[in-house]
Amino acid sequence: MDELTEKALAYHRQSPPGKIGVVATKPCRTGEDLSLAYTPGVAKPCLEIKKQPEAVWDYTMRGNFVAVVSDGTAVLGLGNIGPEAGLPVMEGKSVLFKHFADIDAVGICLGKVFNEQGRTDPARIIETVERLEPTFGGINLEDIGAPACFEVEQTLKQRMRIPVFHDDQHGTAIISLAAILNALEIVGKKIEDCRFVVNGAGAAGISCSEFYISAGARRENFLMCDSRGVIHTGRTDLNEQKRRFAVDTPARTLADAMRGADIFLGFSAPGCVTGEMVKTMAPGAILFAMANPVPEIFPDEALAAGAAVVGTGRSDFPNQINNVLGFPGIFRGALDVRATDINEAMKLAAAHALSDLAREAVPENVRRQLAEAYPADAAAGMFSGPAGLRPDCVIPKPFDIRVVPRVARQVAEAAMRTGVARIRIDDLDAYERAVAERIRRAGKA
């Protein structure tokens, strides 16, 4: 057993097992406290909610409560491991919700949602999750395999009046778009002119591509590859989502596709891209190799082959595409305006918030905090100097304390602008400061 395995198992096994628990937010130390928390006092908010259902947001935890729902069929780096084995991941996601955004979250891993062939039956997940609506303020779908995940999310978004967000699809899309926008500024290109190669046609690859198109990229400029090679019009084995990216092209392999490409996005397998393939890309090539833990190509090899900007999903390399930059602030903003949806405008607002933040100078208090979290990067001068982009820092760091308040602000504003907010925030500057203070206080609790 290696050292990491020993430490990780001990971390999760120590009493109490797991990573989350329930903490009461009101005192229960006296007889009067008990009479207020439960009988007879609890009847009063119950009756208020019965008279006015919207009062549930005022008298319960619902407005700050998210369900992290999975069937364990597409756990990052582990695959189809089942709901029980996926539970530590959902607990971990709940920890991140609390730590980064002071949102209470609980993992819900669903069993008995599979058909006779052992595949996910979307209808069973949809029926189960839909019944949770009275308890939660939002639903974070996680690690549900394609193509079932597309139907699950789309149907639940139509049926439920709380935000439903599949982070594997949209989280990666939001973070990577922010990085792409800044990388394009560095290399002097426009997104509508760029040729994209996307390796991996699962939930992340397809959703990211659709999101880039909504931000200005052209569908005809995409070559997408799956395990059988380039997705082209001559193939007869494509599902509905893949067919949207089928093109008439002589390219058949990933190496064929990468010739002359401006941007490579990897959601696939370790080591599938070589330096020779990078050399065939257009000048100023951008590569985000997001396979974990081993990327499609390591940054040093890609840079040596001529790439201008390189990112991965790992924290030990520059330009980490990490979903924790997105979902805490996205849900914080959505919950705070009591949004009924997380729509395209809100997702684009989150991407632009991250993109803009990476261009700003780092204040001294933030620099000190980042230096503690990333000592090697601080020693290399990453957080010092004037504002501006640099090839090794096109996206903020996850422990940048400005991230969640800024994302929450932009998401809340977009929700209000597009009519999905049920309450209004008039002073967004004050709101951003309040979110920062809330997270600071929660971190000291």
Side-chain angles (χ1 to χ4, degrees):
M1 187 180 295
D2 62 35
E3 183 181 4
L4 175 61
T5 300
E6 290 181 359
K7 286 184 175 180
L9 293 179
Y11 175 87
H12 286 79
R13 190 174 53 238
Q14 63 183 293
S15 184
K19 298 189 288 288
I20 61 172
V22 174
V23 177
T25 61
K26 305 295 187 298
C28 190
R29 293 186 292 266
T30 67
E32 183 180 18
D33 290 342
L34 182 60
S35 71
L36 293 173
Y38 202 53
T39 185
V42 74
K44 305 308 178 183
C46 292
L47 293 173
E48 287 296 313
I49 296 168
K50 175 65 176 175
K51 286 191 298 184
Q52 176 50 260
E54 285 295 298
V56 68
W57 303 101
D58 299 319
Y59 295 115
T60 73
M61 70 182 295
R62 187 182 178 192
N64 196 52
F65 199 24
V66 170
V68 183
V69 179
S70 180
D71 64 356
T73 56
V75 178
L76 180 64
L78 302 174
N80 185 355
I81 59 175
E84 291 86 358
L87 187 55
V89 178
M90 306 315 131
E91 287 189 0
K93 194 69 174 277
S94 301
V95 170
L96 300 183
F97 266 114
K98 187 64 177 179
H99 177 82
F100 286 99
D102 192 32
I103 293 171
D104 295 309
V106 62
I108 298 178
C109 288
L110 303 178
K112 301 182 180 179
V113 293
F114 310 106
N115 59 25
E116 295 75 13
Q117 290 76 41
R119 296 176 176 271
T120 300
D121 181 344
R124 295 182 184 181
I125 294 182
I126 291 165
E127 180 184 19
T128 302
V129 176
E130 189 178 7
R131 296 180 190 278
L132 299 175
E133 184 167 357
T135 300
F136 293 95
I139 304 292
N140 184 108
L141 301 173
E142 190 81 12
D143 295 341
I144 300 171
C149 62
F150 299 112
E151 181 179 346
V152 169
E153 188 200 39
Q154 290 163 8
T155 304
L156 289 174
K157 284 172 74 72
Q158 292 168 1
R159 294 184 182 179
M160 302 180 80
R161 283 187 50 77
I162 57 175
V164 177
F165 183 81
H166 185 200
D167 192 46
D168 301 302
Q169 292 185 54
H170 309 300
T172 303
I174 289 164
I175 311 313
S176 58
L177 175 63
I180 287 170
L181 293 174
N182 283 343
L184 288 174
E185 181 164 321
I186 288 172
V187 300
K189 297 181 182 181
K190 296 181 179 179
I191 194 169
E192 60 267 26
D193 299 328
C194 288
R195 283 193 52 217
F196 287 75
V197 172
V198 178
N199 197 39
I206 289 172
S207 295
C208 285
S209 300
E210 294 287 1
F211 192 56
Y212 306 150
I213 291 167
S214 72
R218 294 175 178 165
R219 188 178 297 272
E220 62 268 24
N221 286 345
F222 280 76
L223 283 179
M224 185 175 289
C225 301
D226 61 10
S227 59
R228 298 184 181 181
V230 173
I231 294 174
H232 59 85
T233 52
R235 287 179 52 175
T236 59
D237 60 339
L238 305 176
N239 61 32
E240 176 187 350
Q241 289 77 24
K242 291 182 182 181
R243 279 197 297 271
R244 294 203 298 267
F245 288 93
V247 293
D248 184 7
T249 175
R252 292 294 181 266
T253 67
L254 177 59
D256 293 340
M258 288 184 68
R259 292 190 185 99
D262 298 286
I263 300 172
F264 169 85
L265 286 306
F267 309 94
S268 50
C272 62
V273 174
T274 67
E276 291 303 312
M277 293 160 69
V278 175
K279 289 178 182 178
T280 70
M281 296 178 69
I286 298 166
L287 284 90
F288 290 103
M290 291 175 277
N292 259 322
V294 179
E296 288 82 356
I297 184 170
F298 280 97
D300 57 350
E301 185 178 1
L303 291 167
V309 180
V310 181
T312 70
R314 291 172 47 149
S315 60
D316 53 345
F317 295 133
N319 297 324
Q320 184 190 16
I321 308 301
N322 190 324
N323 284 15
V324 78
L325 286 165
F327 69 83
I330 291 167
F331 271 95
R332 180 76 276 156
L335 291 172
D336 288 342
V337 295
R338 210 172 295 164
T340 58
D341 188 19
I342 294 174
N343 59 27
E344 203 73 0
M346 294 160 74
K347 290 182 282 186
L348 285 168
H352 284 287
L354 293 169
S355 175
D356 292 344
L357 190 57
R359 302 162 187 252
E360 296 180 11
V362 181
E364 181 58 34
N365 66 315
V366 179
R367 187 180 298 120
R368 289 194 300 269
Q369 178 264 339
L370 289 172
E372 183 177 340
Y374 307 98
D377 290 334
M382 183 175 290
F383 312 124
S384 303
L389 296 174
R390 44 190 288 176
D392 62 350
C393 194
V394 296
I395 194 77
K397 293 284 191 178
F399 282 97
D400 187 328
I401 57 177
R402 300 171 296 170
V403 166
V404 170
R406 182 69 57 84
V407 171
R409 175 203 178 123
Q410 299 293 349
V411 167
E413 192 279 330
M416 292 186 290
R417 186 178 69 250
T418 56
V420 298
R422 284 183 280 196
I423 60 177
R424 182 162 191 84
I425 297 172
D426 291 319
D427 189 338
L428 288 167
D429 289 336
Y431 169 67
E432 185 175 349
R433 292 192 297 271
V435 171
E437 177 60 19
R438 174 180 186 159
I439 296 168
R440 188 193 67 79
R441 288 199 311 269
K444 291 186 175 182

